[in-house]
């Protein structure tokens, strides 16, 4: 099987490695690539590193979790509902179109438009209007006080309005342009996404000539790729392969990332409507066993909340649900399901480290308390569209991102009744979200976020599993590569020695 995997990888990426002129090309193997070149359509973590090579936001996050300017040089709140941004000058899109305040207006309004169906819309839903003051100044008005505006803007990529209008959405997707360090070269669904260096990038031309993200869902194939040297970097390495790769001279590293892996519930359908049923399923799953036996200690158990201690809004008073099958059976009986029930479970392969093995382990543990979960693996594109369309589940594996802003508001707003996917509905929780988003004082906002986490610990919308670890392998010939807790990587100064 391994030999077949190596042969397959050799054939599929030969075009990217056989040319001697490829000395400045970096090839990265990852579980999946963006489902579309349109950055407003795909919010999955694996899509973020590829999009970040081509597109940029107004603001980003530094290594200390602090909001920093990207296409915005500075900003200030003129009132609780009005923000002003000064934009970076002398920035152009890859087609030569100048970056101006009109691009900010177009991009934010497109993400908010119901027609776009952008999964990022919820993060800036409080924006009322965007008004250019001049070419390099833009003001954003919110419908009410909206404290996490900057955090929400860390996911809104800025697109060129004139080019988009000329080409239309369909042609834009076939030849997208942004302001980022690399230009679009090619995209083949579920295969690869490639970029070339942007010689006019405002921070200076990247050292690399090309970057290629290869979609390789199978763990064994990614490992084979980096082992044979056909990949320069492989992300999401299975923990059990770490020692072997190190013995072969491959540099293997790990970073805890800003996302909490869970088994989500569609808590709007029977019997998952019942709080006791959802609590029972949390008691039924052995989180420590999953961390120890499947992840070999990489990552950390979530403390009954979807963010880790590195996230703003983490509640240090909360603890994980203990593994207690007896308590799970008792709660199921009290809820009217003494003999359990049957439910569909949508899973993935290669989307997260050891995802299929974790899915199978959870199914086995649920069976011990009488719950029969039928696993159905969904292809990456179908998986995200099913989530957005509200048809996934009633159980499905997921990793809630509090990256790249490392802020709990980012995932917690998805549990509102009106959120995309509509998988949890509780008016009391909705009120908490509204209070948190209106809290302009950071200390007050943090307290409300912690209150929200405690609410969801008691009335769980999911089975809390682990904060994920990103294990990645780097060939010795690659210099300057680092995968960050934000899931992003700065490739502008990366070098590859051939």
């Amino acid at each position: 099987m391994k030999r077949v995997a190596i042969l397959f990888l050799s054939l599929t990426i030969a075009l990217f490695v056989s040319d001697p002129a490829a000395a400045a090309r970096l090839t990265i193997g990852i579980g999946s690539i963006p489902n579309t070149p349109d950055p407003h359509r795909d919010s999955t973590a694996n899509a973020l590193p590829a999009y970040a090579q081509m597109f940029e936001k107004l603001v980003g996050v530094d290594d200390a979790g602090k909001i920093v300017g990207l296409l915005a040089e500075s900003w200030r709140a003129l009132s609780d509902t009005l923000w002003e941004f000064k934009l970076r000058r002398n920035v152009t899109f890859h087609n030569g179109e100048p970056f101006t305040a009109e691009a900010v207006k177009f991009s934010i309004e497109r993400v908010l438009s119901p027609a776009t169906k952008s999964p990022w819309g919820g993060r800036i839903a409080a924006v009322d209007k965007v008004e250019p003051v001049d070419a390099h100044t833009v003001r954003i008005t919110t419908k009410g006080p909206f404290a996490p505006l900057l955090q929400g803007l860390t996911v809104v990529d800025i697109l060129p309005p004139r080019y988009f209008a000329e080409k239309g959405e369909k042609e834009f997707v076939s030849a997208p342009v942004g302001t980022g360090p690399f230009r679009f070269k090619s995209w083949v669904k579920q295969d690869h996404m490639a970029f070339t260096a942007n010689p006019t990038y405002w921070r200076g031309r990247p050292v690399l000539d090309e970057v290629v993200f290869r979609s390789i869902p199978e763990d064994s194939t990614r490992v084979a790729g980096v082992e044979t040297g056909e990949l320069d970097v492989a992300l999401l390495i299975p923990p059990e392969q770490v020692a072997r790769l190190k013995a072969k001279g491959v540099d293997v590293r790990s970073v805890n990332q800003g996302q909490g892996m869970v088994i989500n519930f569609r808590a709007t359908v029977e019997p998952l409507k019942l709080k006791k049923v959802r609590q029972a399923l949390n008691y039924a799953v052995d989180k420590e066993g999953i961390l120890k036996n499947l992840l070999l200690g990489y990552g950390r158990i979530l403390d009954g909340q979807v963010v880790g201690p590195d996230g703003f809004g983490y509640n240090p008073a909360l603890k994980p649900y203990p593994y207690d099958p007896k308590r799970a059976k008792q709660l199921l009986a009290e809820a009217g399901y003494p003999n359990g029930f049957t439910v569909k479970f949508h899973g993935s392969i290669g989307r997260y480290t050891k995802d299929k093995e974790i899915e199978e382990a959870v199914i086995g543990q649920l069976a011990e308390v009488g719950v029969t979960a039928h696993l159905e693996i969904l292809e990456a594109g179908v998986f995200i569209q099913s989530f957005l369309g509200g048809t996934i589940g009633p159980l499905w594996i997921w990793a809630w991102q509090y990256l790249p802003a490392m802020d709990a508001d980012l995932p917690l707003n998805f549990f509102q009744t009106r959120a995309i996917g509509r998988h949890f509905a509780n008016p009391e929780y909705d009120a908490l979200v509204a209070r948190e988003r209106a809290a302009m004082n950071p200390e007050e906002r943090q307290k409300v976020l912690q209150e929200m986490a405690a609410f969801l610990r008691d009335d769980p919308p999911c089975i809390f599993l682990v904060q994920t670890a990103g294990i990645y392998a780097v060939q010795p010939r690659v210099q300057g590569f680092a995968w960050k807790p934000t899931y992003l990587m700065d490739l502008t100064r990366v070098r590859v020695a051939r």
Side-chain angles (χ1 to χ4, degrees):
M1 182 64 188
K2 180 179 170 185
R3 182 175 298 175
V4 172
I6 294 174
L7 177 59
F8 171 77
L9 188 67
S10 301
L11 291 172
T12 55
I13 70 175
L15 290 175
F16 300 102
V17 299
S18 59
D19 182 356
R25 175 184 296 134
L26 182 77
T27 303
I28 300 172
I30 188 170
S32 61
I33 59 170
N35 190 41
T36 164
D38 184 342
H40 293 169
R41 301 279 194 181
D42 190 346
S43 64
T44 54
N46 278 350
L48 301 182
Y51 284 144
Q53 308 315 314
M54 189 165 48
F55 302 104
E56 294 179 302
K57 291 84 172 168
L58 286 182
V59 295
V61 179
D62 68 11
D63 291 343
K66 179 184 175 184
I67 298 288
V68 296
L70 292 175
L71 292 177
E73 286 188 323
S74 63
W75 55 88
R76 58 175 178 157
L78 301 178
S79 71
D80 283 354
T81 58
L82 181 61
W83 296 69
E84 182 175 271
F85 294 81
K86 293 292 186 183
L87 307 183
R88 193 172 298 281
R89 295 172 183 268
N90 301 318
V91 176
T92 59
F93 290 95
H94 302 152
N95 65 331
E97 180 175 337
F99 162 66
T100 66
E102 289 294 340
V104 178
K105 174 181 172 64
F106 167 74
S107 301
I108 292 177
E109 290 181 347
R110 183 169 185 266
V111 167
L112 289 171
S113 170
T116 306
K117 297 180 181 178
S118 175
W120 296 128
R123 297 199 178 187
I124 56 169
V127 171
D128 184 40
K129 57 184 177 182
V130 184
E131 298 176 295
V133 176
D134 57 42
H136 302 290
T137 307
V138 64
R139 288 181 176 175
I140 298 176
T141 302
T142 57
K143 299 170 185 172
F146 183 54
L149 175 65
L150 293 176
Q151 287 76 9
L153 291 175
T154 64
V155 297
V156 179
D157 282 302
I158 305 300
L159 307 185
R162 189 190 312 163
Y163 179 76
F164 197 96
E166 291 172 356
K167 299 295 182 182
E169 182 168 324
K170 188 174 181 180
E171 284 194 42
F172 176 84
V173 170
S174 66
V177 301
T179 61
F182 292 89
R183 295 178 173 179
F184 178 79
K185 180 180 180 182
S186 61
W187 171 80
V188 176
K189 191 172 184 177
Q190 300 176 36
D191 187 84
H192 79 273
M193 196 167 190
F195 310 93
T196 59
N198 175 9
T200 61
Y201 184 49
W202 59 272
R203 289 168 58 198
R205 185 197 188 283
V207 175
L208 293 167
D209 294 321
E210 291 191 16
V211 173
V212 180
F213 286 85
R214 297 284 308 169
S215 176
I216 307 175
E218 289 291 341
D219 291 344
S220 59
T221 311
R222 286 196 306 281
V223 170
V226 76
E227 185 177 352
T228 60
E230 293 175 334
L231 294 175
D232 298 302
V233 175
L235 307 181
L236 302 175
I237 294 296
E240 70 274 12
Q241 298 293 336
V242 171
R244 193 167 68 88
L245 286 174
K246 285 185 174 179
K248 291 179 175 294
V250 178
D251 186 7
V252 185
R253 312 166 193 166
S254 175
V255 58
N256 281 350
Q257 294 172 321
Q259 58 181 7
M261 179 184 285
V262 304
I263 306 300
N264 265 333
F265 302 137
R266 184 159 301 285
T268 54
V269 300
E270 297 287 356
L272 296 169
K273 274 186 175 179
L274 303 173
K275 183 166 79 172
K276 285 187 176 180
V277 168
R278 287 179 273 119
Q279 290 175 332
L281 301 194
N282 269 282
Y283 282 113
V285 172
D286 181 6
K287 281 77 67 177
E288 288 188 11
I290 288 172
L291 181 68
K292 179 180 178 182
N293 300 321
L294 295 181
L295 300 175
L296 304 185
Y298 287 97
R300 63 180 299 282
I301 295 173
L302 289 172
D303 295 320
Q305 53 195 312
V306 296
V307 305
D310 53 356
F312 182 84
Y314 167 79
N315 188 334
L318 301 182
K319 302 298 179 188
Y321 275 84
Y323 176 47
D324 189 344
K326 184 177 178 181
R327 176 63 174 152
K329 290 180 180 178
Q330 179 184 353
L331 284 168
L332 286 172
E334 291 174 5
Y337 290 89
N339 299 316
F341 56 90
T342 298
V343 65
K344 184 184 292 183
F345 184 160
H346 281 138
S348 63
I349 295 178
R351 185 180 179 89
Y352 313 113
T353 298
K354 308 296 288 184
D355 48 5
K356 187 169 184 291
E357 289 83 352
I358 291 172
E359 291 154 8
E360 292 170 344
V362 168
I363 287 171
Q365 291 162 9
L366 293 181
E368 293 179 5
V369 300
V371 175
T372 302
H374 292 300
L375 180 63
E376 180 181 347
I377 301 295
L378 298 181
E379 176 272 323
V382 175
F383 193 94
I384 186 63
Q385 291 305 318
S386 298
F387 170 74
L388 296 175
T391 59
I392 199 169
L395 299 186
W396 71 98
I397 195 168
W398 194 256
W400 285 110
Q401 302 167 17
Y402 53 100
L403 55 85
M406 306 303 280
D407 190 295
D409 173 82
L410 304 182
L412 294 186
N413 87 81
F414 275 95
F415 298 112
Q416 295 181 85
T417 302
R418 66 180 182 180
I420 283 180
R422 299 181 184 276
H423 48 88
F424 187 77
N426 190 310
E428 291 181 47
Y429 183 76
D430 293 347
L432 281 174
V433 175
R435 185 151 65 88
E436 177 265 322
R437 294 193 144 191
M440 300 302 287
N441 180 296
E443 290 184 1
E444 180 186 352
R445 191 167 78 86
Q446 184 176 39
K447 287 181 180 177
V448 184
L449 284 169
Q450 292 173 342
E451 191 177 342
M452 292 161 63
F455 186 101
L456 296 180
R457 167 63 170 76
D458 177 64
D459 191 1
C462 57
I463 301 172
F464 302 100
L465 296 179
V466 296
Q467 179 179 358
T468 62
I471 306 172
Y472 61 106
V474 183
Q475 286 287 345
R477 60 178 179 257
V478 178
Q479 301 169 7
F481 182 92
W483 201 15
K484 301 181 180 182
T486 59
Y487 221 86
L488 300 176
M489 53 198 75
D490 181 357
L491 301 183
T492 58
R493 303 273 70 87
V494 171
R495 297 175 182 272
V496 180
R498 300 287 182 182

